[in-house]
Amino acid sequence: MGFDTNEDLARARSWIQAADAIAVLTGAGISAESGVPTFRDADGLWRNFRFEDLATPEAFERDPKLVWDWYNFRRERIATAQPNRGHKALVALETRKSEFTLITQNVDGLHELAGSKNILKLHGDIWLVRCTKCAAEWVDRRPSLPEIPPHCLCGGLARPGVVWFGEPLPKRVIDEATQAVKSSQLLIAVGTSAIVYPAAGLIPIAKAQGRTVIEINPDETPCSDMADCSLHGPAGEILPLLVT
Ligand code: NAD
């Protein structure tokens, strides 16, 4: 691991122990050790498409079947994934704190599956399907939808219940996340490249409020410069060390 293991870990542990109110921001990296690929790491390409060209409203308008094909591929990978030691450490941390908010950019549902309770999903949920005509929303947990693109009972075309690039986040969710960051003493940013806004903007908000920020990521990110402590290693190894 690329950090001064003992000293940095000990500092981060003591901050976590002392804080009554903690907010955690997770990104795709926390699920990497569960076998769910991140967007920006090695297999960021699917059939030669970049994810930026698929996870957009324009892509869906142009070719809904292609976008659903990609979501079926992702659903199949996520369906067999299990929460890892990082997800589980966050469950343990939640049980020990009077205020704990888990803000996630992930759509894979692994935090719930692990047992986390107070979760704000900034970017929706891959198992949700939403009608583009009447806005009805329903859960469909089949790994791969047999008929794509699916349709609603009203006849409208249905889309994945996620937030795409260029779309606004649900106001209630981002407002609650901002409030949780402001009212927490500590923000832990785990497995996020910290470049997708407005999620990444929660980190400078924490700093502007004088909160302590801990980062967990094998790589340097824009968060590393802001964090009071950057622990450069995998979440599944570091989080259990911080929480036990
Ligand atoms: P990202 O793909 O941009 O970045 C992932 C980050 O995780 C990188 O900084 C990488 O260094 C780090 N990482 C890799 N392995 C790690 C590990 N073992 N432990 C800790 N960190 C590790 O992801 P992002 O910042 O979440 O933003 C991209 C967007 O992609 C988000 O909107 C998210 O909704 C979406 N996404 C979600 C999933 C999912 O639900 N699992 C998967 C891919 C992308």
Side-chain angles (χ1 to χ4, degrees):
M1 291 179 209
F3 58 93
D4 179 343
T5 310
N6 292 330
E7 201 180 305
D8 286 345
L9 269 180
R11 278 198 310 151
R13 272 173 69 107
S14 67
W15 291 333
I16 290 172
Q17 272 166 8
D20 300 318
I22 293 185
V24 178
L25 172 67
T26 65
I30 194 165
S31 295
E33 289 156 88
S34 295
V36 181
T38 66
F39 275 173
R40 273 165 246 283
D41 292 335
D43 46 1
L45 285 180
W46 173 79
R47 292 192 203 163
N48 292 327
F49 291 96
R50 294 180 317 142
F51 67 84
E52 288 98 333
D53 299 333
L54 291 162
T56 67
E58 294 76 26
F60 189 70
E61 212 164 286
R62 211 166 35 236
D63 193 345
K65 185 172 177 311
L66 174 77
V67 172
W68 267 110
D69 254 343
W70 181 56
Y71 273 88
N72 267 351
F73 166 79
R74 294 184 62 203
R75 287 165 72 103
E76 279 172 18
R77 289 194 79 154
I78 290 170
T80 54
Q82 290 301 315
N84 63 52
R85 282 158 42 92
H87 297 105
K88 289 176 190 163
L90 292 178
V91 178
L93 187 58
E94 181 168 18
T95 62
R96 288 184 211 158
K97 297 295 167 185
S98 50
E99 278 179 51
F100 182 91
T101 310
L102 178 49
I103 305 160
T104 189
Q105 300 169 80
N106 294 349
V107 296
D108 57 29
L110 290 180
H111 286 303
E112 286 122 296
L113 197 58
S116 287
K117 298 280 183 271
N118 192 24
I119 307 174
L120 293 173
K121 293 184 200 170
L122 294 179
H123 295 160
D125 187 323
I126 201 163
W127 305 113
L128 275 182
V129 181
R130 186 165 72 243
C131 178
T132 57
K133 195 168 156 203
C134 73
E137 222 169 47
W138 63 94
V139 174
D140 190 329
R141 292 203 70 97
R142 286 176 294 178
S144 187
L145 299 187
E147 279 168 37
I148 53 168
H151 286 82
C152 178
L153 289 176
C154 81
L157 177 65
R159 57 165 280 175
V162 300
V163 177
W164 284 325
F165 291 99
E167 292 187 315
L169 271 57
K171 187 174 173 342
R172 181 195 64 80
V173 183
I174 189 68
D175 285 353
E176 282 185 29
T178 305
Q179 194 45 48
V181 166
K182 287 182 174 173
S183 64
S184 298
Q185 291 137 307
L186 183 65
L187 174 68
I188 310 175
V190 188
T192 177
S193 55
I195 53 174
V196 177
Y197 281 77
L202 294 169
I203 299 162
I205 288 175
K207 283 313 296 173
Q209 298 285 318
R211 308 300 183 239
T212 305
V213 174
I214 299 171
E215 175 184 50
I216 302 171
N217 196 314
D219 292 341
E220 289 271 326
T221 75
C223 176
S224 309
D225 293 334
M226 280 177 272
D228 296 274
C229 179
S230 269
L231 301 173
H232 290 301
E237 286 178 33
I238 293 179
L239 274 170
L241 294 175
L242 291 178
V243 167
T244 47

